[in-house]
């Protein structure tokens, strides 16, 4: 049997134009699929600081209706406290007050810099385990005492005081209020938008954090860190029962959490929440987002269409080698042996093209990360001052490499198998006379 690598190199030398076109076709197809794979890897896999995605569930939206009135939004402080206390299967509950403006922070030279801010409970740093470069998260005691303390990221620490170590214990002026920096964390990417911020403060440090809304709508979200091997249906059933009891006690408003809490996968695609909201509000004009099946079909099409085009190049190569195949058949080579050699040679070329495609996809994502990583809602929710940082763990992953390998194998099979099998069906005499036709 011929060495596939040597055969592929020989083919490159003998047919440089066709081989180059084939490699470019493979590279473009693999790069397109890889971009989708990397986008969803960053959205779904454990990425710092959202390294607990597989165990994190989300309670965000609340629906409320009464005769002639419909409301939907985040949840009030009272209700989310009441509904998430001691839920089954839940290890830790972190609350975030979304009503936290991104006030400018005053730099040492008097300049102002916008800081993406989050108002959180102390448990936030358990659900999202940020790496502390200096200091520590604010304590439960500081939280309960409404102290004005802050955790900041290392970039903001360097902008303010030069190093993370020098920033701890120093004052920070935000929105006219002075906070003491208690900790500095490693920077995160805006892709992890549930956890990302420059500055974290206790939500109890702001006035009005516990204002009562008699309709249940407020500004709070809950992040639940579930127990290992959790049964989410137990949590959903208990939460739904608590919400129903609140509706029965209220007597005016009927509430729904639309089947929450949702897993990270459900939160990313969330068609179930949309369907549940339609049923609760009896509204059909709520648009459903595309499901993961839609993007799977897109990925398959992006592989199959170029594979069919590439099969023409492979078919031409096989036809040119028909006399060689005929001679080898006459000396006892079986159709299976010849087919295996053609597939192996083509797979070698395809892997070369896949490597080019992988490098191309990395280059495109690094260059246009703000645009590419916005596919299916992974947008940078902030402004142009906060570019989407691409970290090595987003690009270098076993999942990403397996997708690249699978794409190469599928391209090889689809583009080479049919033309090779068809050419090898010809009788020996017909193959030997192919050049004379």
């Amino acid at each position: 049997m011929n060495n596939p690598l040597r055969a592929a190199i020989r083919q490159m030398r003998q047919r440089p134009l066709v081989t180059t076109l084939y490699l470019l076709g493979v590279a473009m197809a693999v790069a397109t699929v890889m971009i989708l794979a990397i986008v969803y890897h960053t959205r779904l896999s454990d990425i710092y600081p959202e390294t607990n995605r597989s165990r994190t569930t989300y309670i965000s939206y609340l629906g409320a209706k009464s005769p002639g009135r419909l409301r939907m939004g985040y949840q009030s402080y009272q209700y989310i406290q009441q509904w998430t206390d001691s839920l089954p299967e839940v290890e830790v509950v972190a609350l975030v007050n979304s009503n936290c403006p991104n006030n400018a922070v005053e730099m040492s030279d008097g300049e102002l810099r916008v800081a993406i801010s989050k108002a959180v409970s102390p448990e936030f740093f358990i659900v999202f385990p940020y790496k502390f470069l200096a200091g520590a998260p604010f304590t439960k005691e500081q939280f309960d005492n409404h102290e004005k303390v802050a955790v900041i990221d290392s970039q903001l620490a360097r902008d303010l005081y030069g190093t993370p170590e020098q920033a701890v214990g120093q004052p920070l002026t935000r929105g006219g209020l002075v906070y003491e920096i208690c900790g500095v964390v490693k920077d995160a990417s805006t892709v992890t938008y549930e956890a990302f911020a420059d500055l974290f403060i206790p939500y109890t440090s702001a006035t009005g954090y516990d204002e009562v809304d008699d309709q249940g709508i407020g500004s709070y979200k809950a992040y639940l860190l579930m127990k290992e091997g959790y049964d989410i249906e137990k949590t959903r059933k208990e939460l739904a029962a608590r919400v129903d009891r609140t509706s029965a006690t209220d007597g005016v408003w009927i509430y729904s959490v639309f089947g929450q809490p949702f897993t990270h996968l459900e939160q990313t695609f969330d068609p179930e929440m949309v369907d549940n909201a339609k049923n609760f509000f009896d509204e059909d004009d709520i648009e459903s987002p595309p499901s993961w099946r839609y993007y799977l079909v897109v990925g398959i099409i992006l592989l199959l269409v170029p594979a069919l085009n590439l099969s023409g190049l492979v078919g031409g190569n096989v036809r040119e080698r028909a006399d060689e195949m005929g001679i080898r058949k006459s000396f006892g080579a079986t159709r299976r042996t010849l087919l295996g050699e053609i597939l192996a040679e083509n797979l070698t070329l395809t892997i070369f093209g896949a490597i080019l495609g992988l490098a191309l996809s990395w280059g495109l994502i690094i260059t246009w990360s703000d645009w590419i990583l916005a596919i299916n809602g992974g947008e940078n929710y902030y402004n142009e001052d906060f570019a989407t940082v691409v970290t090595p763990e987003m690009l270098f992953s076993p999942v990403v490499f397996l997708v690249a390998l699978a794409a190469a194998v599928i391209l090889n099979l689809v583009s080479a198998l049919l033309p090779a099998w068809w050419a090898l069906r010809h009788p020996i005499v017909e193959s030997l006379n192919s050049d004379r036709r």
Side-chain angles (χ1 to χ4, degrees):
M1 182 175 178
N2 293 334
N3 185 301
L5 179 59
R6 290 179 181 175
I9 293 173
R10 183 176 66 248
Q11 186 174 331
M12 291 179 188
R13 291 172 178 170
Q14 293 174 350
R15 308 181 72 204
L17 178 59
V18 173
T19 305
T20 300
L21 291 175
Y22 183 84
L23 291 176
L24 289 177
V26 171
M28 293 299 295
V30 170
T32 306
V33 173
M34 287 309 304
I35 286 172
L36 282 177
I38 291 172
V39 165
Y40 284 99
H41 168 63
T42 61
R43 297 291 313 283
L44 300 175
S45 300
D46 290 344
I47 301 291
Y48 172 86
E50 296 181 7
T51 50
N52 287 323
R53 283 175 172 175
S54 56
R55 287 204 295 140
T56 302
T57 62
Y58 305 81
I59 302 175
S60 301
Y61 294 104
L62 173 67
K65 64 181 181 181
S66 66
R69 300 185 67 185
L70 302 175
R71 293 196 67 189
M72 182 173 175
Y74 293 137
Q75 307 193 21
S76 69
Y77 179 71
Q78 289 74 21
Y79 280 173
I80 204 166
Q81 288 268 40
Q82 174 185 332
W83 291 340
T84 60
D85 182 45
S86 301
L87 278 172
E89 304 294 304
V90 176
E91 192 172 294
V92 176
V93 177
L95 299 184
V96 173
N97 186 353
S98 61
N99 186 20
C100 182
N102 297 322
N103 295 121
V105 172
E106 186 176 325
M107 300 289 106
S108 56
D109 58 3
E111 293 290 325
L112 298 179
R113 174 199 188 285
V114 174
I116 303 302
S117 305
K118 270 188 167 64
V120 303
S121 66
E123 294 79 11
F124 181 87
F125 297 103
I126 300 175
V127 178
F128 303 109
Y130 270 92
K131 179 180 179 181
F132 276 78
L133 304 178
F138 49 81
T139 64
K140 185 71 165 58
E141 182 180 6
Q142 290 172 316
F143 178 81
D144 292 339
N145 291 336
H146 304 186
E147 293 184 24
K148 287 183 169 51
V149 289
V151 172
I152 63 176
D153 67 6
S154 60
Q155 183 59 56
L156 183 55
R158 287 191 292 269
D159 291 345
L160 284 169
Y161 293 107
T163 67
E165 292 76 14
Q166 291 174 330
V168 174
Q170 298 295 326
L172 176 148
T173 303
R174 170 187 177 274
L177 301 175
V178 179
Y179 293 79
E180 180 183 332
I181 299 171
C182 63
V184 178
V185 295
K186 177 184 174 183
D187 294 339
S189 171
T190 55
V191 170
T192 57
Y193 59 86
E194 297 287 359
F196 174 80
D198 289 316
L199 185 152
F200 305 89
I201 60 173
Y203 64 69
T204 54
S205 65
T207 58
Y209 74 92
D210 57 351
E211 288 181 355
V212 175
D213 184 334
D214 60 358
Q215 296 167 5
I217 304 299
S219 57
Y220 284 87
K221 299 189 290 184
Y223 299 90
L224 315 181
L225 183 62
M226 310 300 287
K227 297 177 181 178
E228 294 286 351
Y230 65 92
D231 181 355
I232 195 170
E233 291 305 322
K234 289 183 180 179
T235 313
R236 287 172 174 163
K237 187 177 295 186
E238 175 60 24
L239 178 61
R242 295 181 184 186
V243 173
D244 290 343
R245 285 196 293 270
T246 301
S247 299
T249 303
D250 186 284
V252 176
W253 289 92
I254 299 174
Y255 300 105
S256 174
V257 289
F258 312 120
Q260 297 177 93
F262 292 135
T263 64
H264 187 78
L265 178 63
E266 293 166 337
Q267 179 81 355
T268 301
F269 293 103
D270 70 8
E272 182 180 347
M273 196 202 79
V274 175
D275 292 339
N276 292 342
K278 287 180 180 179
N279 294 333
F280 179 72
F281 291 120
D282 196 21
E283 296 280 348
D284 293 327
D285 57 351
I286 303 175
E287 185 177 353
S288 298
S291 72
W292 63 269
R293 296 177 183 85
Y294 169 82
Y295 294 99
L296 178 61
V297 171
V298 170
I300 293 173
I301 291 173
L302 290 173
L303 274 179
L304 289 183
V305 171
L308 294 175
N309 292 328
L310 293 172
S311 66
L313 296 175
V314 177
N317 178 55
V318 174
R319 284 191 295 272
E320 286 189 7
R321 297 172 60 187
D323 55 344
E324 175 194 336
M325 299 294 109
I327 292 172
R328 295 193 60 194
K329 278 185 182 180
S330 66
F331 281 95
T334 65
R335 187 183 301 172
R336 177 178 294 181
T337 299
L338 296 175
L339 180 62
E341 289 185 10
I342 293 172
L343 290 178
E345 293 170 15
N346 196 71
L347 178 60
T348 304
L349 285 176
T350 304
I351 289 175
F352 287 156
I355 293 171
L356 289 175
L358 189 59
L360 178 61
S361 67
W362 286 341
L364 291 173
I365 286 177
I366 291 171
T367 305
W368 289 297
S369 58
D370 283 339
W371 177 74
I372 291 176
L373 294 177
I375 296 174
N376 191 42
E379 61 264 20
N380 185 340
Y381 281 87
Y382 312 107
N383 55 46
E384 63 271 10
D385 295 329
F386 297 87
T388 302
V389 177
V390 179
T391 61
E393 65 179 325
M394 296 179 185
L395 302 179
F396 300 98
S397 160
V399 173
V400 171
F401 286 110
L402 285 174
V403 170
L405 180 60
V409 171
I410 292 171
L411 273 173
N412 176 63
L413 291 175
V414 176
S415 65
L417 183 60
L418 183 60
W421 176 81
W422 183 261
L424 291 172
R425 290 179 68 250
H426 293 257
I428 295 175
V429 174
E430 187 176 335
S431 298
L432 290 173
N433 292 331
S434 62
D435 286 341
R436 294 192 275 276
R437 290 198 297 269

